[in-house]
Amino acid sequence: MAALAWLLIPVVAAVAAAVWGSWAARTRTTGDGSSLADYERFRAAMSKTEAGSR
């Protein structure tokens, strides 16, 4: 029985590592589309202001 307990420890560790690895490798969507659109509007506004001040 003790040998089975010692075998169970690495098996549980391997399962935990597999779960962590799949969680760490997941695709992350952060919603950058709207922030990039806001940045482009900001750049357009700044280029208009800059062109008008010269």
Side-chain angles (χ1 to χ4, degrees):
M1 189 67 184
L4 186 61
W6 280 107
L7 182 63
L8 189 62
I9 292 170
V11 170
V12 170
V15 169
V19 168
W20 178 83
S22 64
W23 176 77
R26 72 189 187 282
T27 22
R28 297 181 179 122
T29 54
T30 57
D32 286 338
S34 63
S35 64
L36 289 175
D38 291 341
Y39 177 68
E40 287 299 323
R41 280 196 323 239
F42 171 76
R43 285 187 55 195
M46 294 318 289
S47 67
K48 288 178 187 175
T49 305
E50 186 178 307
S53 66
R54 290 183 180 181

